[in-house]
Amino acid sequence: MSEQKRLPRHVAIIMDGNGRWAKAHALKVAQGHRRGTETLRAIIRESSDIGIEALSLYAFSTENWKRSPAEVSALMSLLLEYFTSEIDELDEKNVCIRILGDKDGLPGPQRQALIAAEERTGRNTGLKLNIAINYGARDELLRAVKALAAKAQSGEIAPEAITAADLEDALYTRGLPDVDLLIRTSGEMRLSNFLLYQCAYAEMTFPAVLWPDFSLADYHAALDAFGKRDRRFGGRNE
Ligand code: IPE
Ligand code: IPE
Ligand code: MG
Protein backbone atom coordinates (compact mmCIF):
# COMPACT_ATOMS: atom_id res chain seq x y z
CA MET A 1 0.00 0.00 0.00
CA SER A 2 1.44 3.35 -0.95
CA GLU A 3 1.98 5.91 1.75
CA GLN A 4 -0.61 8.70 1.80
CA LYS A 5 1.14 11.88 0.72
CA ARG A 6 0.73 15.08 2.70
CA LEU A 7 -0.74 17.47 0.17
CA PRO A 8 -0.81 21.23 0.57
CA ARG A 9 -4.36 22.55 0.94
CA HIS A 10 -3.57 25.73 -0.96
CA VAL A 11 -1.01 25.94 -3.76
CA ALA A 12 -0.07 29.30 -5.30
CA ILE A 13 1.88 29.54 -8.54
CA ILE A 14 3.73 32.48 -10.09
CA MET A 15 3.71 31.37 -13.70
CA ASP A 16 6.92 33.02 -14.88
CA GLY A 17 9.20 32.61 -17.88
CA ASN A 18 6.95 32.86 -20.94
CA GLY A 19 9.02 35.71 -22.38
CA ARG A 20 12.32 33.87 -21.98
CA TRP A 21 10.78 30.73 -23.43
CA ALA A 22 9.64 32.66 -26.52
CA LYS A 23 13.08 34.23 -26.91
CA ALA A 24 14.84 30.89 -26.60
CA HIS A 25 12.64 29.52 -29.39
CA ALA A 26 12.99 32.65 -31.56
CA LEU A 27 9.25 33.29 -31.24
CA LYS A 28 7.21 36.38 -30.42
CA VAL A 29 6.44 36.91 -26.73
CA ALA A 30 2.73 36.29 -27.41
CA GLN A 31 3.63 32.78 -28.54
CA GLY A 32 5.31 32.21 -25.20
CA HIS A 33 2.15 33.28 -23.40
CA ARG A 34 0.08 31.02 -25.62
CA ARG A 35 2.28 28.04 -24.78
CA GLY A 36 1.97 29.04 -21.15
CA THR A 37 -1.79 28.51 -21.28
CA GLU A 38 -1.17 24.87 -22.22
CA THR A 39 0.81 24.38 -19.01
CA LEU A 40 -1.96 26.16 -17.14
CA ARG A 41 -4.57 23.77 -18.51
CA ALA A 42 -2.53 20.71 -17.49
CA ILE A 43 -1.77 22.00 -13.99
CA ILE A 44 -5.40 22.89 -13.30
CA ARG A 45 -6.59 19.47 -14.46
CA GLU A 46 -3.97 17.69 -12.37
CA SER A 47 -4.73 19.77 -9.27
CA SER A 48 -8.40 18.93 -9.60
CA ASP A 49 -7.67 15.22 -10.17
CA ILE A 50 -5.37 14.82 -7.16
CA GLY A 51 -7.68 16.72 -4.82
CA ILE A 52 -5.89 19.99 -4.13
CA GLU A 53 -8.37 22.20 -2.29
CA ALA A 54 -7.30 25.61 -3.62
CA LEU A 55 -5.03 26.70 -6.48
CA SER A 56 -4.11 30.35 -6.99
CA LEU A 57 -2.42 31.35 -10.23
CA TYR A 58 -0.75 34.68 -10.94
CA ALA A 59 -1.75 35.61 -14.48
CA PHE A 60 -1.40 39.41 -14.66
CA SER A 61 -0.08 41.80 -12.03
CA THR A 62 -0.96 45.44 -11.35
CA GLU A 63 2.59 46.16 -12.58
CA ASN A 64 2.27 44.21 -15.85
CA TRP A 65 0.50 47.21 -17.45
CA LYS A 66 4.03 48.62 -17.80
CA ARG A 67 4.67 46.23 -20.68
CA SER A 68 4.25 47.26 -24.31
CA PRO A 69 0.68 47.86 -25.55
CA ALA A 70 1.18 44.97 -27.99
CA GLU A 71 2.07 42.52 -25.21
CA VAL A 72 -0.71 43.72 -22.90
CA SER A 73 -3.23 43.40 -25.70
CA ALA A 74 -1.97 39.90 -26.59
CA LEU A 75 -2.37 38.87 -22.93
CA MET A 76 -5.88 40.33 -22.76
CA SER A 77 -6.91 38.49 -25.95
CA LEU A 78 -5.49 35.25 -24.61
CA LEU A 79 -7.36 35.74 -21.36
CA LEU A 80 -10.68 36.10 -23.16
CA GLU A 81 -9.90 33.15 -25.41
CA TYR A 82 -8.94 31.01 -22.44
CA PHE A 83 -12.09 31.69 -20.44
CA THR A 84 -14.32 31.23 -23.48
CA SER A 85 -12.77 27.91 -24.50
CA GLU A 86 -12.22 26.37 -21.05
CA ILE A 87 -15.31 27.33 -19.11
CA ASP A 88 -17.38 24.27 -20.10
CA GLU A 89 -14.69 21.80 -19.06
CA LEU A 90 -13.93 23.65 -15.82
CA ASP A 91 -17.60 23.72 -14.93
CA GLU A 92 -17.96 20.01 -15.74
CA LYS A 93 -15.03 19.30 -13.45
CA ASN A 94 -16.91 21.09 -10.66
CA VAL A 95 -14.19 23.78 -10.44
CA CYS A 96 -15.18 26.96 -8.58
CA ILE A 97 -13.56 30.02 -10.19
CA ARG A 98 -12.72 33.19 -8.33
CA ILE A 99 -10.86 36.17 -9.73
CA LEU A 100 -8.34 37.85 -7.42
CA GLY A 101 -7.75 41.43 -8.47
CA ASP A 102 -9.50 44.53 -9.74
CA LYS A 103 -11.82 43.48 -12.54
CA ASP A 104 -12.98 47.09 -13.00
CA GLY A 105 -9.57 47.97 -14.40
CA LEU A 106 -9.95 45.47 -17.25
CA PRO A 107 -11.44 46.00 -20.72
CA GLY A 108 -15.22 45.32 -20.91
CA PRO A 109 -15.22 41.96 -22.72
CA GLN A 110 -12.60 40.52 -20.35
CA ARG A 111 -14.42 41.84 -17.30
CA GLN A 112 -17.70 40.34 -18.48
CA ALA A 113 -16.14 36.96 -19.25
CA LEU A 114 -14.56 36.80 -15.80
CA ILE A 115 -17.78 37.78 -14.04
CA ALA A 116 -19.70 35.20 -16.09
CA ALA A 117 -17.16 32.49 -15.16
CA GLU A 118 -17.45 33.34 -11.47
CA GLU A 119 -21.23 33.36 -11.59
CA ARG A 120 -21.49 30.12 -13.53
CA THR A 121 -19.11 28.16 -11.29
CA GLY A 122 -19.70 29.94 -7.97
CA ARG A 123 -21.65 27.09 -6.40
CA ASN A 124 -19.30 24.32 -7.60
CA THR A 125 -17.75 22.32 -4.78
CA GLY A 126 -14.54 21.00 -6.39
CA LEU A 127 -11.16 22.69 -6.83
CA LYS A 128 -11.18 26.33 -5.76
CA LEU A 129 -9.42 27.93 -8.70
CA ASN A 130 -8.30 31.50 -8.07
CA ILE A 131 -6.89 33.42 -10.98
CA ALA A 132 -5.06 36.62 -10.13
CA ILE A 133 -5.64 39.18 -12.87
CA ASN A 134 -4.86 42.86 -12.43
CA TYR A 135 -3.80 41.72 -8.96
CA GLY A 136 -1.24 43.23 -6.62
CA ALA A 137 -0.95 42.37 -2.93
CA ARG A 138 -0.31 46.00 -1.98
CA ASP A 139 -3.41 47.08 -3.88
CA GLU A 140 -5.38 44.29 -2.16
CA LEU A 141 -4.20 45.41 1.29
CA LEU A 142 -4.89 49.06 0.54
CA ARG A 143 -8.44 48.21 -0.53
CA ALA A 144 -8.94 46.20 2.65
CA VAL A 145 -7.70 49.10 4.78
CA LYS A 146 -10.09 51.48 3.01
CA ALA A 147 -13.03 49.08 3.44
CA LEU A 148 -12.32 48.70 7.16
CA ALA A 149 -11.79 52.45 7.61
CA ALA A 150 -15.16 53.10 5.93
CA LYS A 151 -16.85 50.61 8.29
CA ALA A 152 -15.21 52.27 11.27
CA GLN A 153 -16.28 55.71 10.09
CA SER A 154 -19.89 54.61 9.66
CA GLY A 155 -19.88 53.08 13.13
CA GLU A 156 -20.29 49.51 11.85
CA ILE A 157 -17.14 48.42 13.68
CA ALA A 158 -15.03 49.96 16.43
CA PRO A 159 -11.38 50.45 15.33
CA GLU A 160 -10.04 48.77 18.47
CA ALA A 161 -12.32 45.75 17.86
CA ILE A 162 -10.95 44.99 14.37
CA THR A 163 -9.62 41.42 14.26
CA ALA A 164 -7.32 39.52 11.91
CA ALA A 165 -10.47 37.75 10.68
CA ASP A 166 -12.00 41.11 9.72
CA LEU A 167 -8.89 41.98 7.75
CA GLU A 168 -8.86 38.56 6.04
CA ASP A 169 -12.53 38.96 5.15
CA ALA A 170 -11.67 42.19 3.35
CA LEU A 171 -9.09 40.48 1.10
CA TYR A 172 -9.84 38.92 -2.30
CA THR A 173 -9.01 35.53 -0.73
CA ARG A 174 -11.83 35.72 1.84
CA GLY A 175 -12.64 32.28 3.21
CA LEU A 176 -9.64 30.51 1.68
CA PRO A 177 -6.93 28.81 3.74
CA ASP A 178 -3.48 30.46 3.85
CA VAL A 179 -1.09 29.49 1.07
CA ASP A 180 0.80 26.31 2.04
CA LEU A 181 3.04 26.00 -1.00
CA LEU A 182 4.21 28.74 -3.33
CA ILE A 183 5.84 27.72 -6.60
CA ARG A 184 7.56 30.25 -8.88
CA THR A 185 8.92 28.95 -12.14
CA SER A 186 11.82 30.34 -14.19
CA GLY A 187 14.32 30.49 -11.34
CA GLU A 188 13.42 33.99 -10.14
CA MET A 189 13.28 34.08 -6.35
CA ARG A 190 10.88 36.86 -5.48
CA LEU A 191 7.18 37.32 -4.80
CA SER A 192 6.58 40.22 -7.20
CA ASN A 193 3.63 41.49 -5.14
CA PHE A 194 1.74 38.15 -5.01
CA LEU A 195 -0.31 37.19 -1.93
CA LEU A 196 2.06 38.86 0.54
CA TYR A 197 -0.30 38.44 3.50
CA GLN A 198 -1.48 34.94 2.60
CA CYS A 199 2.07 33.60 2.11
CA ALA A 200 3.18 34.50 5.66
CA TYR A 201 4.03 30.84 6.40
CA ALA A 202 4.07 29.40 2.89
CA GLU A 203 6.75 26.91 1.93
CA MET A 204 8.40 28.13 -1.26
CA THR A 205 10.03 26.45 -4.20
CA PHE A 206 11.69 28.02 -7.22
CA PRO A 207 12.12 25.43 -9.98
CA ALA A 208 14.53 26.67 -12.67
CA VAL A 209 12.19 25.68 -15.47
CA LEU A 210 10.34 28.19 -17.64
CA TRP A 211 6.55 28.08 -17.29
CA PRO A 212 5.80 26.66 -20.78
CA ASP A 213 8.19 23.78 -19.96
CA PHE A 214 6.83 23.15 -16.45
CA SER A 215 5.66 19.53 -16.54
CA LEU A 216 3.42 17.41 -14.34
CA ALA A 217 6.63 15.72 -13.12
CA ASP A 218 7.96 19.14 -12.07
CA TYR A 219 4.67 19.84 -10.30
CA HIS A 220 4.83 16.53 -8.44
CA ALA A 221 8.45 17.20 -7.49
CA ALA A 222 7.32 20.46 -5.86
CA LEU A 223 4.44 18.71 -4.07
CA ASP A 224 6.79 15.96 -2.87
CA ALA A 225 9.30 18.54 -1.60
CA PHE A 226 6.47 20.20 0.32
CA GLY A 227 5.63 16.86 1.96
CA LYS A 228 9.17 16.72 3.38
CA ARG A 229 9.29 20.25 4.80
CA ASP A 230 9.32 20.75 8.54
CA ARG A 231 6.70 23.45 9.14
CA ARG A 232 6.99 25.11 12.53
CA PHE A 233 4.94 28.31 12.36
CA GLY A 234 7.19 29.84 14.97
CA GLY A 235 6.83 26.91 17.34
CA ARG A 236 8.92 23.76 17.83
CA ASN A 237 8.29 20.29 16.47
CA GLU A 238 9.95 17.92 18.93
C1 IPE B 1 5.00 35.41 -17.00
O1 IPE B 1 5.96 35.35 -18.00
C2 IPE B 1 3.65 35.77 -17.53
C3 IPE B 1 3.21 37.14 -17.20
C4 IPE B 1 3.85 38.01 -16.50
C5 IPE B 1 1.93 37.53 -17.75
P1 IPE B 1 6.87 36.59 -18.37
O2 IPE B 1 6.27 37.27 -19.54
O3 IPE B 1 7.10 37.45 -17.18
O4 IPE B 1 8.20 35.85 -18.77
P2 IPE B 1 9.69 36.40 -18.60
O5 IPE B 1 9.89 36.67 -17.14
O6 IPE B 1 9.79 37.63 -19.42
O7 IPE B 1 10.55 35.29 -19.11
C1 IPE C 1 5.02 38.16 -11.93
O1 IPE C 1 5.95 38.02 -12.92
C2 IPE C 1 3.64 38.32 -12.52
C3 IPE C 1 3.09 37.15 -13.17
C4 IPE C 1 3.65 35.98 -13.32
C5 IPE C 1 1.76 37.32 -13.68
P1 IPE C 1 6.77 39.25 -13.54
O2 IPE C 1 7.59 38.66 -14.62
O3 IPE C 1 5.84 40.34 -13.90
O4 IPE C 1 7.64 39.72 -12.29
P2 IPE C 1 9.04 40.50 -12.26
O5 IPE C 1 8.84 41.78 -13.00
O6 IPE C 1 10.06 39.63 -12.90
O7 IPE C 1 9.30 40.69 -10.80
MG1 MG D 1 8.58 37.44 -15.78
Side-chain angles (χ1 to χ4, degrees), residues 15-21 29 33 59-60 64 67 71 75 186 188 210:
M15 311 183 286
D16 199 16
N18 294 346
R20 278 162 282 171
W21 186 91
V29 68
H33 293 312
F60 192 89
N64 285 148
R67 297 190 180 191
E71 184 174 354
L75 281 164
S186 88
E188 306 294 355
L210 303 174

Tab-separated table of all heavy atoms in Angstrom, residues 15-21 29 33 59-60 64 67 71 75 186 188 210, ligand 1:
chain	number	residue	atom	x	y	z
A	15	MET	N	3.420	32.020	-12.416
A	15	MET	CA	3.710	31.369	-13.701
A	15	MET	C	4.670	32.268	-14.485
A	15	MET	O	4.238	33.119	-15.253
A	15	MET	CB	2.400	31.189	-14.469
A	15	MET	CG	1.284	30.552	-13.633
A	15	MET	SD	-0.235	30.256	-14.568
A	15	MET	CE	-0.895	31.912	-14.743
A	16	ASP	N	5.956	32.085	-14.303
A	16	ASP	CA	6.924	33.022	-14.880
A	16	ASP	C	7.826	32.332	-15.900
A	16	ASP	O	8.152	31.156	-15.760
A	16	ASP	CB	7.767	33.629	-13.741
A	16	ASP	CG	8.465	34.915	-14.168
A	16	ASP	OD1	8.087	35.492	-15.203
A	16	ASP	OD2	9.398	35.335	-13.459
A	17	GLY	N	8.220	33.105	-16.912
A	17	GLY	CA	9.201	32.608	-17.880
A	17	GLY	C	8.694	32.484	-19.309
A	17	GLY	O	9.420	31.983	-20.173
A	18	ASN	N	7.485	32.958	-19.564
A	18	ASN	CA	6.955	32.858	-20.936
A	18	ASN	C	7.791	33.665	-21.932
A	18	ASN	O	8.009	33.237	-23.061
A	18	ASN	CB	5.516	33.387	-20.994
A	18	ASN	CG	4.541	32.536	-20.207
A	18	ASN	OD1	4.867	31.411	-19.832
A	18	ASN	ND2	3.359	33.056	-19.962
A	19	GLY	N	8.234	34.852	-21.488
A	19	GLY	CA	9.021	35.713	-22.376
A	19	GLY	C	10.352	35.070	-22.731
A	19	GLY	O	10.752	35.042	-23.903
A	20	ARG	N	11.024	34.521	-21.717
A	20	ARG	CA	12.321	33.870	-21.980
A	20	ARG	C	12.155	32.622	-22.835
A	20	ARG	O	12.983	32.308	-23.681
A	20	ARG	CB	13.020	33.542	-20.654
A	20	ARG	CG	13.756	34.748	-20.070
A	20	ARG	CD	14.060	34.573	-18.614
A	20	ARG	NE	12.867	34.834	-17.815
A	20	ARG	CZ	12.781	34.598	-16.511
A	20	ARG	NH1	13.814	34.077	-15.879
A	20	ARG	NH2	11.675	34.875	-15.856
A	21	TRP	N	11.053	31.928	-22.616
A	21	TRP	CA	10.783	30.729	-23.429
A	21	TRP	C	10.627	31.127	-24.895
A	21	TRP	O	11.200	30.493	-25.781
A	21	TRP	CB	9.519	30.024	-22.928
A	21	TRP	CG	9.247	28.725	-23.605
A	21	TRP	CD1	9.670	27.484	-23.212
A	21	TRP	CD2	8.519	28.542	-24.834
A	21	TRP	NE1	9.244	26.539	-24.116
A	21	TRP	CE2	8.535	27.159	-25.115
A	21	TRP	CE3	7.855	29.412	-25.708
A	21	TRP	CZ2	7.919	26.611	-26.228
A	21	TRP	CZ3	7.253	28.874	-26.831
A	21	TRP	CH2	7.276	27.491	-27.089
A	29	VAL	N	6.782	37.100	-28.150
A	29	VAL	CA	6.436	36.907	-26.732
A	29	VAL	C	5.009	36.362	-26.580
A	29	VAL	O	4.741	35.521	-25.703
A	29	VAL	CB	6.674	38.213	-25.928
A	29	VAL	CG1	5.701	39.313	-26.323
A	29	VAL	CG2	6.604	37.967	-24.437
A	33	HIS	N	3.336	33.243	-24.265
A	33	HIS	CA	2.154	33.283	-23.401
A	33	HIS	C	1.144	32.214	-23.824
A	33	HIS	O	0.516	31.573	-22.998
A	33	HIS	CB	1.510	34.668	-23.419
A	33	HIS	CG	2.361	35.739	-22.792
A	33	HIS	ND1	2.962	35.565	-21.556
A	33	HIS	CD2	2.726	36.984	-23.207
A	33	HIS	CE1	3.640	36.672	-21.249
A	33	HIS	NE2	3.524	37.538	-22.244
A	59	ALA	N	-1.695	35.488	-13.022
A	59	ALA	CA	-1.754	35.610	-14.478
A	59	ALA	C	-1.363	36.997	-14.986
A	59	ALA	O	-0.806	37.135	-16.067
A	59	ALA	CB	-3.158	35.273	-14.966
A	60	PHE	N	-1.700	38.040	-14.197
A	60	PHE	CA	-1.401	39.406	-14.656
A	60	PHE	C	-1.366	40.316	-13.437
A	60	PHE	O	-2.346	40.402	-12.690
A	60	PHE	CB	-2.492	39.878	-15.638
A	60	PHE	CG	-2.136	41.136	-16.382
A	60	PHE	CD1	-1.450	41.077	-17.593
A	60	PHE	CD2	-2.470	42.388	-15.871
A	60	PHE	CE1	-1.115	42.248	-18.281
A	60	PHE	CE2	-2.136	43.554	-16.551
A	60	PHE	CZ	-1.456	43.484	-17.758
A	64	ASN	N	2.066	44.692	-14.484
A	64	ASN	CA	2.265	44.212	-15.849
A	64	ASN	C	1.722	45.171	-16.919
A	64	ASN	O	2.045	45.033	-18.105
A	64	ASN	CB	1.659	42.809	-16.040
A	64	ASN	CG	2.474	41.700	-15.406
A	64	ASN	OD1	1.935	40.689	-14.950
A	64	ASN	ND2	3.805	41.852	-15.365
A	67	ARG	N	4.139	46.865	-19.461
A	67	ARG	CA	4.673	46.233	-20.679
A	67	ARG	C	4.114	46.925	-21.928
A	67	ARG	O	3.217	47.754	-21.841
A	67	ARG	CB	4.321	44.747	-20.653
A	67	ARG	CG	4.985	44.066	-19.467
A	67	ARG	CD	4.871	42.576	-19.529
A	67	ARG	NE	5.528	41.977	-18.363
A	67	ARG	CZ	5.776	40.701	-18.235
A	67	ARG	NH1	5.432	39.862	-19.204
A	67	ARG	NH2	6.379	40.243	-17.151
A	71	GLU	N	2.051	43.682	-26.097
A	71	GLU	CA	2.066	42.515	-25.211
A	71	GLU	C	0.834	42.493	-24.305
A	71	GLU	O	0.215	41.441	-24.105
A	71	GLU	CB	3.351	42.475	-24.363
A	71	GLU	CG	3.404	41.205	-23.530
A	71	GLU	CD	4.702	40.996	-22.754
A	71	GLU	OE1	5.658	41.787	-22.924
A	71	GLU	OE2	4.743	40.021	-21.982
A	75	LEU	N	-1.978	39.559	-24.175
A	75	LEU	CA	-2.366	38.871	-22.934
A	75	LEU	C	-3.863	38.971	-22.691
A	75	LEU	O	-4.509	37.999	-22.290
A	75	LEU	CB	-1.592	39.458	-21.742
A	75	LEU	CG	-0.153	38.950	-21.602
A	75	LEU	CD1	0.645	39.861	-20.673
A	75	LEU	CD2	-0.126	37.511	-21.086
A	186	SER	N	10.830	29.539	-13.449
A	186	SER	CA	11.815	30.339	-14.193
A	186	SER	C	13.057	30.686	-13.388
A	186	SER	O	13.967	31.336	-13.903
A	186	SER	CB	11.211	31.621	-14.795
A	186	SER	OG	11.264	32.699	-13.881
A	188	GLU	N	13.437	32.722	-10.896
A	188	GLU	CA	13.422	33.987	-10.138
A	188	GLU	C	12.972	33.686	-8.718
A	188	GLU	O	12.052	32.897	-8.510
A	188	GLU	CB	12.436	34.995	-10.758
A	188	GLU	CG	12.624	35.302	-12.222
A	188	GLU	CD	13.923	36.022	-12.531
A	188	GLU	OE1	14.666	36.391	-11.595
A	188	GLU	OE2	14.205	36.199	-13.728
A	210	LEU	N	11.230	27.129	-17.153
A	210	LEU	CA	10.344	28.189	-17.643
A	210	LEU	C	8.904	27.662	-17.686
A	210	LEU	O	8.680	26.471	-17.934
A	210	LEU	CB	10.803	28.644	-19.039
A	210	LEU	CG	12.257	29.147	-19.103
A	210	LEU	CD1	12.668	29.429	-20.555
A	210	LEU	CD2	12.448	30.392	-18.237
B	1	IPE	C1	5.005	35.414	-17.003
B	1	IPE	O1	5.959	35.346	-18.001
B	1	IPE	C2	3.646	35.772	-17.527
B	1	IPE	C3	3.209	37.138	-17.197
B	1	IPE	C4	3.851	38.011	-16.495
B	1	IPE	C5	1.927	37.531	-17.748
B	1	IPE	P1	6.865	36.591	-18.368
B	1	IPE	O2	6.273	37.267	-19.541
B	1	IPE	O3	7.097	37.447	-17.182
B	1	IPE	O4	8.200	35.849	-18.772
B	1	IPE	P2	9.686	36.397	-18.599
B	1	IPE	O5	9.892	36.668	-17.137
B	1	IPE	O6	9.786	37.630	-19.422
B	1	IPE	O7	10.545	35.285	-19.105
